[in-house]
Amino acid sequence: IVCLGESTTGGLWVDWKDSYPMQLEKKLREFYNNQNICVIVPPHVGQNTSQMSKRIRHYINLYNPQLIILMAGINNGWSLSESNVVKFLNTTDKESLKIKFLVILNNFRLFKLLRYAYLRFIVKEKSDYIQQNRYSVFGFPELSRFPPEKWIYDFSNTHKESFILMWRYDITKIIREAKKNKVKLLLMAYHINTASYLPLEEFISLAVKENIPLLRNDKKFDCLIKTCEYFLGL
């Protein structure tokens, strides 16, 4: 089983054994009394859905999964590396043109190499961004800086329709690549959807359109969200 997603899938702020993929692996092994069941999370957990869609064939070839569990989209509003949002932006908008230029420029390996060399050896930056992206010039997905600059958040809030179209495009590509390779796919909604651009209805609509199962985590966690300050504070 391959679990595709972001830090919510990778188990940010909890021990790895407490992440949902590892809990799932433990429960499945116990239920089927089979220690060969393996739940895998690709190492690139800071990706947006465009980066996942561009590497889905590689993941299928590498891991040969029987099932893909997909809970993704929350990073799209701030992670613009390789973002397909440029396909859905109005080119007469000055901010959209800026985003298009940055995304296109960032697709060139020479640009990535020169930027990394500048930050690493001239500016001598020692941030997580530098450590995470030392292999991006070789085709690994570039992970964006976090937290992003305020203008990036503002842009996603004022161009929500473009980001919805991007999400549909990317997730559909992942679903259809899985179907093409006869891999079953389960789409999951977030337990708490903090992506302001992405309503729950999009998950429901796409699951119906592509005839795939949808796990409504929002329903499972509803009582906790209403009664527990910890969940409300996320």
Side-chain angles (χ1 to χ4, degrees), residues 86-101:
V86 296
K87 297 178 182 290
F88 308 104
L89 292 175
N90 186 345
T91 55
T92 61
D93 181 339
K94 183 183 293 187
E95 286 187 330
S96 296
L97 287 173
K98 177 181 178 181
I99 292 293
K100 281 193 170 188
F101 175 75

PDB file of all heavy atoms in Angstrom, residues 86-101:
ATOM      1  N   VAL A  86      -0.479  27.155 -13.111  1.00  0.00           N
ATOM      2  CA  VAL A  86      -0.189  28.069 -14.222  1.00  0.00           C
ATOM      3  C   VAL A  86      -1.048  27.764 -15.443  1.00  0.00           C
ATOM      4  O   VAL A  86      -1.246  28.633 -16.296  1.00  0.00           O
ATOM      5  CB  VAL A  86       1.310  28.029 -14.599  1.00  0.00           C
ATOM      6  CG1 VAL A  86       2.175  28.531 -13.449  1.00  0.00           C
ATOM      7  CG2 VAL A  86       1.742  26.633 -15.017  1.00  0.00           C
ATOM      8  N   LYS A  87      -1.553  26.529 -15.537  1.00  0.00           N
ATOM      9  CA  LYS A  87      -2.415  26.167 -16.668  1.00  0.00           C
ATOM     10  C   LYS A  87      -3.782  26.837 -16.578  1.00  0.00           C
ATOM     11  O   LYS A  87      -4.512  26.913 -17.569  1.00  0.00           O
ATOM     12  CB  LYS A  87      -2.627  24.645 -16.714  1.00  0.00           C
ATOM     13  CG  LYS A  87      -1.377  23.804 -16.931  1.00  0.00           C
ATOM     14  CD  LYS A  87      -1.728  22.322 -16.908  1.00  0.00           C
ATOM     15  CE  LYS A  87      -0.506  21.438 -17.069  1.00  0.00           C
ATOM     16  NZ  LYS A  87       0.051  21.506 -18.439  1.00  0.00           N
ATOM     17  N   PHE A  88      -4.137  27.313 -15.395  1.00  0.00           N
ATOM     18  CA  PHE A  88      -5.503  27.787 -15.161  1.00  0.00           C
ATOM     19  C   PHE A  88      -5.563  29.246 -14.711  1.00  0.00           C
ATOM     20  O   PHE A  88      -6.596  29.698 -14.226  1.00  0.00           O
ATOM     21  CB  PHE A  88      -6.174  26.891 -14.112  1.00  0.00           C
ATOM     22  CG  PHE A  88      -6.095  25.432 -14.442  1.00  0.00           C
ATOM     23  CD1 PHE A  88      -5.200  24.602 -13.778  1.00  0.00           C
ATOM     24  CD2 PHE A  88      -6.894  24.888 -15.439  1.00  0.00           C
ATOM     25  CE1 PHE A  88      -5.111  23.261 -14.089  1.00  0.00           C
ATOM     26  CE2 PHE A  88      -6.809  23.542 -15.759  1.00  0.00           C
ATOM     27  CZ  PHE A  88      -5.915  22.724 -15.089  1.00  0.00           C
ATOM     28  N   LEU A  89      -4.469  29.974 -14.896  1.00  0.00           N
ATOM     29  CA  LEU A  89      -4.431  31.374 -14.481  1.00  0.00           C
ATOM     30  C   LEU A  89      -4.733  32.299 -15.652  1.00  0.00           C
ATOM     31  O   LEU A  89      -4.394  32.014 -16.800  1.00  0.00           O
ATOM     32  CB  LEU A  89      -3.056  31.725 -13.904  1.00  0.00           C
ATOM     33  CG  LEU A  89      -2.694  31.056 -12.575  1.00  0.00           C
ATOM     34  CD1 LEU A  89      -1.257  31.391 -12.195  1.00  0.00           C
ATOM     35  CD2 LEU A  89      -3.643  31.488 -11.465  1.00  0.00           C
ATOM     36  N   ASN A  90      -5.352  33.420 -15.344  1.00  0.00           N
ATOM     37  CA  ASN A  90      -5.637  34.460 -16.328  1.00  0.00           C
ATOM     38  C   ASN A  90      -4.355  35.227 -16.629  1.00  0.00           C
ATOM     39  O   ASN A  90      -3.774  35.865 -15.745  1.00  0.00           O
ATOM     40  CB  ASN A  90      -6.703  35.407 -15.769  1.00  0.00           C
ATOM     41  CG  ASN A  90      -7.150  36.430 -16.796  1.00  0.00           C
ATOM     42  OD1 ASN A  90      -6.502  36.628 -17.819  1.00  0.00           O
ATOM     43  ND2 ASN A  90      -8.259  37.076 -16.525  1.00  0.00           N
ATOM     44  N   THR A  91      -3.903  35.166 -17.870  1.00  0.00           N
ATOM     45  CA  THR A  91      -2.611  35.779 -18.222  1.00  0.00           C
ATOM     46  C   THR A  91      -2.644  37.306 -18.239  1.00  0.00           C
ATOM     47  O   THR A  91      -1.611  37.943 -18.373  1.00  0.00           O
ATOM     48  CB  THR A  91      -2.143  35.282 -19.607  1.00  0.00           C
ATOM     49  OG1 THR A  91      -3.172  35.536 -20.577  1.00  0.00           O
ATOM     50  CG2 THR A  91      -1.832  33.803 -19.571  1.00  0.00           C
ATOM     51  N   THR A  92      -3.820  37.910 -18.108  1.00  0.00           N
ATOM     52  CA  THR A  92      -3.890  39.374 -18.076  1.00  0.00           C
ATOM     53  C   THR A  92      -3.710  39.907 -16.662  1.00  0.00           C
ATOM     54  O   THR A  92      -3.621  41.115 -16.455  1.00  0.00           O
ATOM     55  CB  THR A  92      -5.242  39.859 -18.619  1.00  0.00           C
ATOM     56  OG1 THR A  92      -6.301  39.343 -17.808  1.00  0.00           O
ATOM     57  CG2 THR A  92      -5.441  39.410 -20.061  1.00  0.00           C
ATOM     58  N   ASP A  93      -3.653  39.039 -15.699  1.00  0.00           N
ATOM     59  CA  ASP A  93      -3.489  39.403 -14.298  1.00  0.00           C
ATOM     60  C   ASP A  93      -1.988  39.517 -13.990  1.00  0.00           C
ATOM     61  O   ASP A  93      -1.229  38.572 -14.204  1.00  0.00           O
ATOM     62  CB  ASP A  93      -4.144  38.320 -13.433  1.00  0.00           C
ATOM     63  CG  ASP A  93      -4.048  38.598 -11.947  1.00  0.00           C
ATOM     64  OD1 ASP A  93      -3.178  39.363 -11.535  1.00  0.00           O
ATOM     65  OD2 ASP A  93      -4.864  38.036 -11.202  1.00  0.00           O
ATOM     66  N   LYS A  94      -1.553  40.659 -13.459  1.00  0.00           N
ATOM     67  CA  LYS A  94      -0.131  40.890 -13.212  1.00  0.00           C
ATOM     68  C   LYS A  94       0.442  39.862 -12.227  1.00  0.00           C
ATOM     69  O   LYS A  94       1.538  39.326 -12.434  1.00  0.00           O
ATOM     70  CB  LYS A  94       0.086  42.295 -12.654  1.00  0.00           C
ATOM     71  CG  LYS A  94       1.559  42.652 -12.434  1.00  0.00           C
ATOM     72  CD  LYS A  94       1.716  44.025 -11.806  1.00  0.00           C
ATOM     73  CE  LYS A  94       1.283  45.117 -12.759  1.00  0.00           C
ATOM     74  NZ  LYS A  94       1.577  46.469 -12.218  1.00  0.00           N
ATOM     75  N   GLU A  95      -0.311  39.549 -11.166  1.00  0.00           N
ATOM     76  CA  GLU A  95       0.164  38.569 -10.190  1.00  0.00           C
ATOM     77  C   GLU A  95       0.265  37.177 -10.813  1.00  0.00           C
ATOM     78  O   GLU A  95       1.188  36.422 -10.517  1.00  0.00           O
ATOM     79  CB  GLU A  95      -0.778  38.537  -8.988  1.00  0.00           C
ATOM     80  CG  GLU A  95      -0.648  39.740  -8.065  1.00  0.00           C
ATOM     81  CD  GLU A  95      -1.490  39.567  -6.817  1.00  0.00           C
ATOM     82  OE1 GLU A  95      -2.539  38.888  -6.894  1.00  0.00           O
ATOM     83  OE2 GLU A  95      -1.102  40.100  -5.773  1.00  0.00           O
ATOM     84  N   SER A  96      -0.696  36.852 -11.676  1.00  0.00           N
ATOM     85  CA  SER A  96      -0.670  35.551 -12.343  1.00  0.00           C
ATOM     86  C   SER A  96       0.540  35.428 -13.259  1.00  0.00           C
ATOM     87  O   SER A  96       1.171  34.368 -13.346  1.00  0.00           O
ATOM     88  CB  SER A  96      -1.960  35.345 -13.139  1.00  0.00           C
ATOM     89  OG  SER A  96      -3.081  35.309 -12.292  1.00  0.00           O
ATOM     90  N   LEU A  97       0.859  36.497 -13.958  1.00  0.00           N
ATOM     91  CA  LEU A  97       2.035  36.496 -14.831  1.00  0.00           C
ATOM     92  C   LEU A  97       3.310  36.284 -14.026  1.00  0.00           C
ATOM     93  O   LEU A  97       4.225  35.582 -14.462  1.00  0.00           O
ATOM     94  CB  LEU A  97       2.106  37.807 -15.612  1.00  0.00           C
ATOM     95  CG  LEU A  97       1.092  37.976 -16.748  1.00  0.00           C
ATOM     96  CD1 LEU A  97       1.159  39.392 -17.311  1.00  0.00           C
ATOM     97  CD2 LEU A  97       1.350  36.959 -17.855  1.00  0.00           C
ATOM     98  N   LYS A  98       3.351  36.893 -12.851  1.00  0.00           N
ATOM     99  CA  LYS A  98       4.514  36.736 -11.970  1.00  0.00           C
ATOM    100  C   LYS A  98       4.667  35.284 -11.544  1.00  0.00           C
ATOM    101  O   LYS A  98       5.770  34.712 -11.594  1.00  0.00           O
ATOM    102  CB  LYS A  98       4.355  37.635 -10.740  1.00  0.00           C
ATOM    103  CG  LYS A  98       5.480  37.505  -9.719  1.00  0.00           C
ATOM    104  CD  LYS A  98       5.221  38.403  -8.522  1.00  0.00           C
ATOM    105  CE  LYS A  98       6.305  38.253  -7.470  1.00  0.00           C
ATOM    106  NZ  LYS A  98       6.045  39.112  -6.280  1.00  0.00           N
ATOM    107  N   ILE A  99       3.550  34.660 -11.144  1.00  0.00           N
ATOM    108  CA  ILE A  99       3.576  33.262 -10.729  1.00  0.00           C
ATOM    109  C   ILE A  99       4.001  32.373 -11.896  1.00  0.00           C
ATOM    110  O   ILE A  99       4.830  31.462 -11.743  1.00  0.00           O
ATOM    111  CB  ILE A  99       2.202  32.824 -10.198  1.00  0.00           C
ATOM    112  CG1 ILE A  99       1.877  33.537  -8.881  1.00  0.00           C
ATOM    113  CG2 ILE A  99       2.146  31.306 -10.017  1.00  0.00           C
ATOM    114  CD1 ILE A  99       2.757  33.151  -7.725  1.00  0.00           C
ATOM    115  N   LYS A 100       3.438  32.613 -13.072  1.00  0.00           N
ATOM    116  CA  LYS A 100       3.785  31.813 -14.252  1.00  0.00           C
ATOM    117  C   LYS A 100       5.281  31.900 -14.551  1.00  0.00           C
ATOM    118  O   LYS A 100       5.934  30.887 -14.830  1.00  0.00           O
ATOM    119  CB  LYS A 100       2.986  32.287 -15.465  1.00  0.00           C
ATOM    120  CG  LYS A 100       1.563  31.773 -15.500  1.00  0.00           C
ATOM    121  CD  LYS A 100       0.940  32.001 -16.872  1.00  0.00           C
ATOM    122  CE  LYS A 100      -0.391  31.278 -16.989  1.00  0.00           C
ATOM    123  NZ  LYS A 100      -0.947  31.308 -18.345  1.00  0.00           N
ATOM    124  N   PHE A 101       5.805  33.106 -14.500  1.00  0.00           N
ATOM    125  CA  PHE A 101       7.225  33.304 -14.780  1.00  0.00           C
ATOM    126  C   PHE A 101       8.089  32.544 -13.774  1.00  0.00           C
ATOM    127  O   PHE A 101       9.045  31.854 -14.153  1.00  0.00           O
ATOM    128  CB  PHE A 101       7.570  34.793 -14.741  1.00  0.00           C
ATOM    129  CG  PHE A 101       9.029  35.091 -14.893  1.00  0.00           C
ATOM    130  CD1 PHE A 101       9.642  34.993 -16.131  1.00  0.00           C
ATOM    131  CD2 PHE A 101       9.799  35.447 -13.793  1.00  0.00           C
ATOM    132  CE1 PHE A 101      11.007  35.255 -16.285  1.00  0.00           C
ATOM    133  CE2 PHE A 101      11.153  35.714 -13.927  1.00  0.00           C
ATOM    134  CZ  PHE A 101      11.752  35.616 -15.173  1.00  0.00           C
TER     135      PHE A 101
END
